[in-house]
Amino acid sequence: MTATTDQATKRVLLAAPRGYCAGVDRAVVTVEKALDLYGAPVYVRKEIVHNKHVVTTLEKRGAIFVEETDEVPEGSTVIFSAHGVAPVVHEEAKALGLKTIDATCPLVTKVHREAVRFASDDFDILLIGHEGHEEVVGTAGEAPEHITLVEGPDDVDNIEVRDPDKVVWLSQTTLSVDETMETVRRLRQKFPLMQDPPSDDICYATQNRQLAVKHMAPDCDLMIVVGSRNSSNSVRLVEVAIEHGSKAGHLVDYADEIDETWLDGVGTVGVTSGASVPELLVRGVLDYLAERGYEDVRPVVAAEESLVFSLPNEIRRDLKAAGMSDKMVHDAGFTEDGSLH
C-alpha cells in the first residue's frame, strides 16, 4: 500500500442486491433435495449454475456433472441446469429412459415460450446473446429455423430477415442492459416495424445487480466482482463498473485470487457478486479487505428483492410422496466446509 492511502480513507461500498437470484437458488436447492431424496449419484447436465464453488461443493456431496445427455447411465436421474435445454435434449433423455428434473429458471422458460409462440406465427426471431452460451443454445433449439443470433450492436449490419414486417427480438437473460438496448436501437433502425418481447427478457436480478454497480462505480477506485469466468452476468458486472466510472475492476472466484497490488493507492473498493455466487464467498473478500484496513463497509442499496420460485414439479411430487418438505428451505449441511446459502 502506498503512504497516500491511510486508514481513514479506506472504505468498502457493498452492493445490494448481490449474489443468488431466485432461479439460481431454486436450481441449487433442487440438486440438494435430489441428493437427499434419491441418494448419490445424481447426474446434472452441464453446470447447474455457472459457479466453481457451487459445482465443487455439490460434487463432494455426490452430484456428477456431465456435458451431454448420453453420458448419463440409462434409467438414472438427470437434472437439467438453470440455463435451460432445447427440446431435442428432452427427447434424448426420454430415449435413454432417464428420470428428468428440469431446473431451468422460470425466466428462461418464459423466453423459450416466447420463441415458440413467435415461431408459430412465422416471425423471424432475432435472439440477442452470446454464441455457445447454454441459455442461447437452449432457446435457439426451440425454433432453430426461425431464430437468428445477434451477438451485439456490431453484428446488426450482417442480419437479414425474410419479411421486415414480421420481426421480433428476444434476448439472453444475463446480458448488459445498456449494450442490449443499443443492439435493439440499431436493429430498429434497420427494421422499423420490429416488435418487442411481451415483457423484458433480461432478468430482474441481472438488471438490479447492474444498477447497484452503476450507482457505486463513480465512487470506486477498484471494483471486485465475485463470480466465475463462465458466468455471463458476473463478467458483465465488471464491464458495467468500468463503463460507469470505476478506475479498475476485477473478477475473482475466491478472496485468495485478489492481487494485493490492486489495492495500491486505493481508497474506495466496491464489492459485489454475480447471481450464481454464494454469500460465503463475498464474506471471504470482505474479510480479506478488512485485514488490509478496509473495515468501513457501507451498503449501496439499489433495489429490494423478494421473489422466490417453487421447486420443479417433478421433485416436488416425489418429495411429497416421501413425506419430505418441498419448500425452498436451504440445506444447512454445508456450513462446516463452505455454505451454498
Side-chain angles (χ1 to χ4, degrees):
M1 299 294 293
T2 65
T4 58
T5 307
D6 59 25
Q7 298 293 110
T9 64
K10 294 180 179 180
R11 64 173 182 165
V12 174
L13 299 182
L14 181 61
R18 63 184 177 276
Y20 275 8
C21 62
V24 164
D25 210 8
R26 173 182 186 262
V28 173
V29 173
T30 295
V31 179
E32 294 173 347
K33 293 279 192 181
L35 288 164
D36 287 341
L37 180 60
Y38 309 122
V42 168
Y43 292 84
V44 183
R45 187 183 182 277
K46 307 291 187 180
E47 293 186 355
I48 186 66
V49 297
H50 286 158
N51 183 263
K52 184 189 297 185
H53 178 76
V54 169
V55 170
T56 301
T57 305
L58 291 172
E59 281 179 331
K60 290 177 181 176
R61 178 83 181 272
I64 297 177
F65 292 89
V66 299
E67 284 299 304
E68 300 299 339
T69 315
D70 60 10
E71 297 175 52
V72 181
E74 289 192 27
S76 300
T77 297
V78 62
I79 298 173
F80 297 141
S81 81
H83 307 103
V85 297
V88 66
V89 175
H90 288 279
E91 294 167 8
E92 291 169 354
K94 184 176 181 180
L96 290 169
L98 303 180
K99 176 182 177 62
T100 61
I101 299 172
D102 190 353
T104 302
C105 172
L107 299 180
V108 174
T109 299
K110 176 184 78 71
V111 181
H112 281 222
R113 289 173 179 162
E114 290 169 354
V116 171
R117 174 191 144 194
F118 283 108
S120 68
D121 291 335
D122 202 28
F123 273 72
D124 278 354
I125 300 166
L126 305 181
L127 177 61
I128 303 171
H130 299 298
E131 185 173 9
H133 190 279
E134 289 151 38
E135 183 185 327
V136 167
V137 172
T139 301
E142 293 285 359
E145 68 283 2
H146 286 270
I147 290 178
T148 299
L149 181 64
V150 185
E151 292 204 75
D154 295 339
D155 202 19
V156 171
D157 289 343
N158 304 319
I159 302 303
E160 300 295 336
V161 300
R162 295 171 300 156
D163 181 355
D165 292 345
K166 296 195 72 173
V167 181
V168 63
W169 70 272
L170 303 177
S171 82
Q172 183 180 329
T173 64
T174 55
L175 300 179
S176 160
V177 176
D178 294 338
E179 183 177 342
T180 301
M181 289 303 100
E182 175 60 17
T183 304
V184 171
R185 185 186 69 80
R186 293 198 193 181
L187 284 170
R188 185 156 280 118
Q189 285 180 333
K190 188 169 184 177
F191 308 114
L193 297 180
M194 180 180 70
Q195 292 190 27
D196 296 323
S199 59
D200 203 339
D201 282 349
I202 297 179
C203 89
Y204 76 96
T206 297
Q207 296 189 51
N208 287 345
R209 280 147 192 72
Q210 290 179 18
L211 182 61
V213 166
K214 289 178 184 179
H215 287 338
M216 295 160 54
D219 298 319
C220 292
D221 302 305
L222 167 68
M223 184 75 69
I224 296 176
V225 178
V226 186
S228 294
R229 281 159 181 77
N230 64 338
S231 166
S232 176
N233 77 89
S234 298
V235 172
R236 299 289 87 71
L237 289 175
V238 178
E239 295 173 352
V240 169
I242 299 297
E243 289 167 2
H244 288 267
S246 180
K247 294 184 179 68
H250 296 282
L251 183 67
V252 300
D253 267 297
Y254 300 99
D256 62 11
E257 295 177 6
I258 297 173
D259 184 336
E260 196 158 0
T261 63
W262 297 347
L263 300 174
D264 287 348
V266 166
T268 300
V269 181
V271 175
T272 189
S273 58
S276 51
V277 177
E279 183 64 9
L280 174 85
L281 304 184
V282 176
R283 294 296 156 191
V285 169
L286 295 177
D287 290 345
Y288 176 98
L289 293 171
E291 290 168 2
R292 288 153 182 81
Y294 296 87
E295 297 176 334
D296 178 11
V297 179
R298 306 178 187 182
V300 177
V301 181
E304 300 288 343
E305 294 179 353
S306 58
L307 184 63
V308 177
F309 293 130
S310 299
L311 291 170
N313 289 334
E314 305 96 328
I315 195 164
R316 290 179 66 195
R317 180 187 61 239
D318 289 356
L319 286 166
K320 286 182 177 178
M324 300 170 66
S325 172
D326 66 341
K327 304 301 181 187
M328 280 287 296
V329 177
H330 307 310
D331 184 346
F334 289 107
T335 52
E336 293 183 2
D337 61 349
S339 175
L340 290 179
H341 303 287

